[in-house]
């Protein structure tokens, strides 16, 4: 392949080394690399899509990838989830916590991983934590949470949104 091209990764799907990928030629931004199942890729102009592959001649780079965890709102949950990520051998780049209207919470961890296998280990370890309800990569869980928050803030639900931290 040609190494003199401007390449960046889609922040929506955060493709990791070892995953199936495809590229989209962007106007003025070079090639955007997506996971093969990324909705942004599938919604792009098919005329701009190109085949891409991982450079196997050099080690993969560390990338910050969001992991959403819906969990019980209980003391010690953050510690337990952080320990699970550490047990997977991965560092945490950041975390944002939200209290949800249904008595649960949402933790969005930015984990620093290089490969799909590392991400799989993180997600498996998190699923083993008592009180964890759901684990997902990326924004799918955040979209559901936003719908929950919107629904609970409609008249008659009595939820005070001032108590919910927004990441936008």
């Amino acid at each position: 392949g040609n190494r003199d091209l401007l390449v960046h990764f889609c922040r929506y799907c955060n493709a990791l080394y070892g995953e199936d990928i495809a590229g989209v030629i962007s106007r003025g931004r070079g090639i955007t690399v997506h996971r093969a199942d990324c909705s942004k890729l599938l919604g792009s102009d098919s005329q701009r899509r190109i085949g891409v592959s991982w450079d196997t001649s050099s080690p993969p780079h560390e990338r910050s990838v969001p992991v959403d965890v819906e969990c019980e709102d209980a003391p010690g949950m953050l510690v337990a989830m952080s320990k699970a990520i550490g047990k997977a051998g991965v560092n945490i780049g950041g975390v944002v916590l939200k209290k949800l209207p249904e008595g649960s919470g949402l933790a969005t961890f930015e984990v620093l991983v290089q490969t799909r296998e590392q991400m799989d280990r993180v997600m498996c370890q998190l699923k083993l934590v008592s009180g964890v309800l759901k684990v997902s990569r990326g924004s799918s869980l955040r979209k559901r949470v936003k719908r929950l928050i919107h629904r609970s803030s409609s008249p008659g639900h009595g939820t005070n949104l001032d108590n919910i931290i927004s990441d936008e």
Side-chain angles (χ1 to χ4, degrees):
N2 189 338
R3 294 178 182 265
D4 294 330
L5 296 172
L6 179 61
V7 175
H8 69 277
F9 289 87
C10 172
R11 288 180 287 173
Y12 184 79
C13 64
N14 292 295
L16 290 170
Y17 185 85
E19 294 180 317
D20 293 332
I21 55 174
V24 174
I25 300 171
S26 306
R27 291 184 178 99
R29 293 188 60 189
I31 298 171
T32 303
V33 177
H34 296 263
R35 282 192 345 222
D37 63 350
C38 177
S39 62
K40 301 287 186 190
L41 170 70
L42 300 174
S44 69
D45 180 353
S46 62
Q47 297 291 323
R48 294 181 170 274
R49 294 183 204 156
I50 60 169
V52 295
S53 62
W54 294 106
D55 179 1
T56 57
S57 67
S58 62
H61 297 283
E62 186 174 77
R63 299 177 37 83
S64 178
V65 179
V67 176
D68 294 330
V69 183
E70 186 175 358
C71 58
E72 295 174 356
D73 182 15
M77 282 304 304
L78 178 59
V79 170
M81 292 184 293
S82 297
K83 283 183 181 179
I85 294 169
K87 189 174 181 182
V90 171
N91 282 331
I92 298 170
V95 64
V96 175
L97 303 171
K98 294 182 183 183
K99 185 175 177 74
L100 300 178
E102 297 177 347
S104 60
L106 173 67
T108 300
F109 290 92
E110 291 291 330
V111 295
L112 305 174
V113 293
Q114 295 176 333
T115 66
R116 183 190 73 216
E117 290 78 19
Q118 281 184 314
M119 178 59 78
D120 291 345
R121 282 197 311 267
V122 167
M123 293 182 72
C124 286
Q125 287 297 320
L126 283 168
K127 289 175 183 176
L128 294 174
V129 174
S130 178
V132 167
L133 307 172
K134 186 178 278 190
V135 178
S136 68
R137 179 173 160 187
S139 61
S140 60
L141 184 56
R142 278 178 271 168
K143 288 178 184 175
R144 189 178 80 74
V145 166
K146 285 181 183 181
R147 284 193 303 272
L148 270 174
I149 292 170
H150 178 71
R151 193 174 350 123
S152 69
S153 65
S154 59
H157 283 83
T159 299
N160 181 354
L161 286 181
D162 293 337
N163 295 328
I164 299 172
I165 301 169
S166 174
D167 64 348
E168 297 181 302

